[in-house]
Amino acid sequence: MSSISSEKSPKKLHDSTNVDVHIEDHAVENEDSTVYTYLGFKGQTLHHMISFLAGMGFLLFGYDQGVMGSLLTLPEFRNTFTSIDTTKYPDRATFQGFVIAIYEIGCLAGALSTMYCGDKLGRRKTILIGCCIMIIGAAVQSSSYSVGQLIAGRIITGIGNGMNTSTVPMWQSECAKPEKRGKLVMVQGALITGGICISYWVDFGFYFIGTSSVSWRFPIAFQIIFPVFILPFIMYLPESPRWLLKAGEFQEAAKVFSALNAIPVNDPVIVYDVNEIAESLEKERHDGEEKSKLLLLFVQGETKNFHRTCLAVWSQIMQQITGINLITYYAGTIFENYIGLSPLNSRILAACNGTEYFLVSWIAFYTIERIGRRKLMLFGAAGQAMSMAVLTGATWAASPKHNNSSGAAVVAAVFLFVFNTFFAIGWLGMTWLYPAEITPLNIRAPSNGLSTAANWSFNFMVVMITPIAFENIDSYTYTIFAVINLLMVPAVYFFYPETSGRSLEEMDKIFELSNPYTPWDVVKIARELPFESQTRDTDIEKVKVQHIE
């Protein structure tokens, strides 16, 4: 279901579809010079509408991640769920970690489901179903009177979120232009922190309600607001043109490209783009003959599927083992229980932490295309390692169990902000962008499903072990993450190629030139291979000249 309208171009271009050697039978009609629209939008305005809905999906993602952080120490919440009250009963840290982290298991299941249904349903339908599931989960959570019901609600919500987080970045990336793809997905990364920021302030505001259960039920239920903006419009915006081509919908894909570029459907630019994607698909299909889609993830072939899947999966794993969700999920608890601040000051600082996190995340929007993916990831990992090292010493000295130093408490609080700053610039949106850029179209949906599942698996691990680690090794929890972040620097430097400015099909050519036995050579190839944008205009002009002749 989509709302497509059209307007005739004042000048009808010559037929240029006959130059296509791959998809002549599927080419757009020669005489069609229509400029198509969706909901009356085309060009940049249509891109903004896609970004808005994708942004709502990531606001929802962020809000759901941050909302539980300050509720765990809320008296009314602890009275309702006494079995996860670690303020009165520290020995219940393991079960608290399980209840909070079970959400990630739901996300894992949702992400894995897209490996099977992502390409069958398409990008829009998958997002639609994910949002509906999240609404059900939020309703179950906010009406909970037992830990069992809370767990069920968190699993259901997680399934919907896993489907969304696997699909939204793909939809966004496959519709975006190469030169703007990074910026658009960085906006989504910033909106994750926007959701976290909103959740912290909502938690803070409802802290003053006191003994009413509304103080925790409303913050959890509030997440239902975000899907309300998505559901009425998602099926009326364009499907991913690359998914349409993969599904054999050549006419529909050309119409989407027409709307996204605000040019006639038979323009040589569209013909060039359709042919390029079709050519990549033919190579991928040749590699994948007689193999199931899931098995294709583990086959190298000409397009180096396994190599690219590994890069996607490990980028998502590395994002989680930085330790970011140690802070995101437990900021209020850390300030109150481990740094020794008052309940009110802890909530104020947690809310300010979320606000600062949101503001600095916009730095990546301005630097992603200028500086590139690799440099930002390297910068982030190095800064995160330093921040975690400082947090080890400062939190130890600030802890009521040790020196109870007020000066160290200030340093610890500051470096929780500093860590978020480095992460927001280097890793926040990056690993939602990179897997979609690095994988070929033929396996993009299952590969993104697998990489997102890896993200949620390690997210679960971090959220699960954090209360246990603080209970047993206290501030040395930060030391573990300091070492991990330091090891990420050489991993990125030697194995992750730059994707900035490259079309999704251009990355196919880069990996075709690489040697599967020396996977680090792809970094050099990406650095030295001329950009397609330097030759694309010339090729299109040749198409026009051939056509006129």
Side-chain angles (χ1 to χ4, degrees), residues 1-2 53 110 113-114 117-134 159-160 162-168 170-171 174 230-231 233-240 243-244 247 249:
M1 176 173 56
S2 57
L53 287 203
S113 73
T114 63
C117 68
D119 275 339
K120 292 182 180 294
L121 296 173
R123 312 312 186 219
R124 297 176 306 169
K125 286 182 181 177
T126 304
I127 296 169
L128 179 76
I129 294 170
C131 286
C132 291
I133 293 173
M134 288 196 78
I159 290 171
M163 295 178 74
N164 285 351
T165 52
S166 296
T167 309
V168 170
M170 236 182 344
W171 182 51
E174 290 179 344
I230 298 173
L231 293 177
F233 301 106
I234 184 68
M235 296 305 294
Y236 293 96
L237 287 178
E239 180 57 89
S240 158
W243 179 83
L244 289 168
E249 299 286 342

Side-chain angles (χ1 to χ4, degrees), residues 246-443:
K246 185 179 178 182
E249 299 286 342
F250 289 84
Q251 298 284 345
E252 186 68 22
K255 291 174 183 178
V256 172
F257 275 125
S258 169
L260 291 172
N261 292 284
I263 57 178
V265 72
N266 66 345
D267 190 283
V269 171
I270 292 179
V271 175
Y272 181 92
D273 288 341
V274 169
N275 289 345
E276 184 183 35
I277 297 167
E279 184 179 349
S280 291
L281 273 171
E282 282 301 314
K283 290 178 181 176
E284 291 160 14
R285 283 176 181 142
H286 180 266
D287 280 350
E289 286 176 358
E290 299 180 357
K291 293 184 178 69
S292 74
K293 194 161 294 179
L294 295 183
L295 286 178
L296 280 175
L297 296 175
F298 306 100
V299 173
Q300 287 285 28
E302 186 180 354
T303 51
K304 312 301 189 299
N305 288 2
F306 181 64
H307 181 185
R308 297 162 79 172
T309 298
C310 286
L311 291 176
V313 168
W314 277 101
S315 70
Q316 290 278 31
I317 290 174
M318 285 193 289
Q319 187 200 55
Q320 289 307 310
I321 58 178
T322 59
I324 181 58
N325 281 314
L326 173 154
I327 299 170
T328 301
Y329 278 78
Y330 296 106
T333 305
I334 290 171
F335 285 127
E336 186 172 342
N337 292 352
Y338 301 106
I339 297 180
L341 301 178
S342 70
L344 179 60
N345 288 340
S346 295
R347 282 168 173 77
I348 292 173
L349 270 182
C352 290
N353 181 274
T355 304
E356 188 266 350
Y357 191 17
F358 171 62
L359 294 175
V360 297
S361 65
W362 288 97
I363 294 174
F365 174 80
Y366 296 102
T367 56
I368 185 69
E369 299 298 353
R370 293 191 181 110
I371 297 177
R373 283 59 158 160
R374 275 167 51 81
K375 290 179 181 177
L376 289 183
M377 286 193 284
L378 291 167
F379 171 78
Q384 288 156 198
M386 178 273 296
S387 301
M388 284 293 185
V390 173
L391 278 166
T392 300
T395 305
W396 183 90
S399 173
K401 299 177 184 178
H402 300 111
N403 293 350
N404 202 20
S405 166
S406 59
V410 172
V411 173
V414 167
F415 270 84
L416 287 173
F417 283 75
V418 172
F419 178 88
N420 277 0
T421 300
F422 281 110
F423 181 84
I425 294 171
W427 285 87
L428 171 64
M430 199 70 68
T431 54
W432 300 108
L433 166 68
Y434 202 85
E437 291 186 319
I438 208 73
T439 50
L441 178 57
N442 198 37
I443 61 164

Side-chain angles (χ1 to χ4, degrees), residues 53 56-57 60 128 130-132 134-135 138 164 222-233:
L53 287 203
M56 285 295 108
L60 173 58
L128 179 76
C131 286
C132 291
M134 288 196 78
I135 290 174
N164 285 351
F222 186 76
Q223 64 190 278
I224 295 173
I225 293 294
F226 302 109
V228 168
F229 287 99
I230 298 173
L231 293 177
F233 301 106

Side-chain angles (χ1 to χ4, degrees), residues 446-478:
S447 178
N448 272 261
L450 183 63
S451 65
T452 306
N455 178 292
W456 290 115
S457 298
F458 281 80
N459 192 324
F460 170 81
M461 181 193 73
V462 171
V463 176
M464 177 73 192
I465 68 169
T466 293
I468 305 167
F470 273 122
E471 189 62 31
N472 290 279
I473 61 174
D474 202 29
S475 61
Y476 293 107
T477 303
Y478 295 113

